[in-house]
Amino acid sequence: MPKHQLNPKKWIDSYADYLFNYTITRVNDKDIAEDLVQETFFSGLKSAQNFKGEASERTWLISILKRKIIDHYRKINSTKGKAEVRVNFSESDTEGDWLEERVADPFDKNAENEIENTELGLAIHNCLEKLPQKQADIFKKKTIQNFDTEAICNEYNITPSNLWVIIHRARTTLANCLDETWFK
């Protein structure tokens, strides 16, 4: 299999539009998308010595960009005090080595799955914010935090059957929200 080569002088002409279009669909903000593409090119330059040529130049840049998008959402999450976005990347000294490990094997979908899981997690979190406060709190305590039914019922002064009605309504609302925001 021939080794791929990096040609940073052609990155903007060859990949800027593609990377921008990829990013804008994920962040929905032109300025942020442009910044993330610029950061991707900069990171690519910084880690160019780690490029082993096992992946195409475009695939390698997309992998860097995906990580930049995750970092963007992680920053937003921590800034707003929301739940931390968890992504399990292999611990590597250099970004380029990590990227090569992930993109070298076309059957390794872990990096892409991590991004999809992160994006889905953010979509669920956004949909949870649209629920009435009490409904959201009860849903989170029961389904996410695994609180005991009796403890939740005592805290909110509700019956177990009322708890399950609230959980059912929350699930239905979340499913509808995800249909509109995530699955389209």
Side-chain angles (χ1 to χ4, degrees):
M1 181 176 182
K3 292 270 188 177
H4 297 278
Q5 299 289 320
L6 289 183
N7 189 351
K9 292 178 182 178
K10 293 187 177 181
W11 284 358
I12 292 174
D13 291 336
S14 299
Y15 307 116
D17 289 340
Y18 179 82
L19 295 175
F20 176 80
N21 289 332
Y22 180 91
T23 308
I24 195 71
T25 62
R26 284 154 178 81
V27 298
N28 295 319
D29 184 299
K30 180 183 175 287
D31 293 332
I32 292 172
E34 289 173 350
D35 289 346
L36 290 173
V37 171
Q38 285 179 348
E39 289 176 27
T40 298
F41 288 145
F42 182 67
S43 291
L45 287 172
K46 284 191 344 186
S47 61
Q49 74 279 2
N50 299 317
F51 182 75
K52 297 173 188 165
E54 295 170 4
S56 72
E57 189 175 51
R58 185 174 103 164
T59 301
W60 188 69
L61 289 169
I62 284 288
S63 296
I64 295 172
L65 177 59
K66 287 178 178 180
R67 193 155 185 199
K68 296 294 177 192
I69 292 169
I70 289 171
D71 289 344
H72 165 73
Y73 281 114
R74 186 181 284 157
K75 182 180 176 185
I76 288 172
N77 253 358
S78 64
T79 308
K80 292 183 180 178
K82 295 179 181 174
E84 176 184 344
V85 176
R86 290 188 176 92
V87 180
N88 296 320
F89 290 114
S90 64
E91 293 298 322
S92 172
D93 289 86
T94 57
E95 188 170 48
D97 286 343
W98 175 87
L99 295 169
E100 282 290 300
E101 290 168 14
R102 288 290 180 228
V103 297
D105 180 3
F107 300 104
D108 182 0
K109 299 292 185 193
N110 289 339
E112 190 170 324
N113 289 344
E114 292 288 353
I115 290 170
E116 287 178 9
N117 287 341
T118 301
E119 290 173 350
L120 178 58
L122 289 168
I124 291 170
H125 187 78
N126 289 335
C127 288
L128 273 170
E129 288 182 342
K130 296 177 182 177
L131 292 175
Q133 188 64 50
K134 181 179 175 182
Q135 190 180 56
D137 290 345
I138 290 172
F139 180 83
K140 287 183 220 175
K141 286 181 180 181
K142 185 63 184 165
T143 62
I144 298 172
Q145 299 168 343
N146 296 317
F147 276 47
D148 182 59
T149 299
E150 186 178 348
I152 296 170
C153 290
N154 288 339
E155 181 179 346
Y156 289 94
N157 197 24
I158 57 175
T159 65
S161 60
N162 193 2
L163 171 81
W164 293 110
V165 167
I166 292 169
I167 297 293
H168 173 73
R169 288 180 180 160
R171 283 186 178 135
T172 302
T173 303
L174 287 173
N176 291 336
C177 178
L178 288 172
D179 276 342
E180 293 174 13
T181 59
W182 172 254
F183 295 111
K184 280 190 177 180

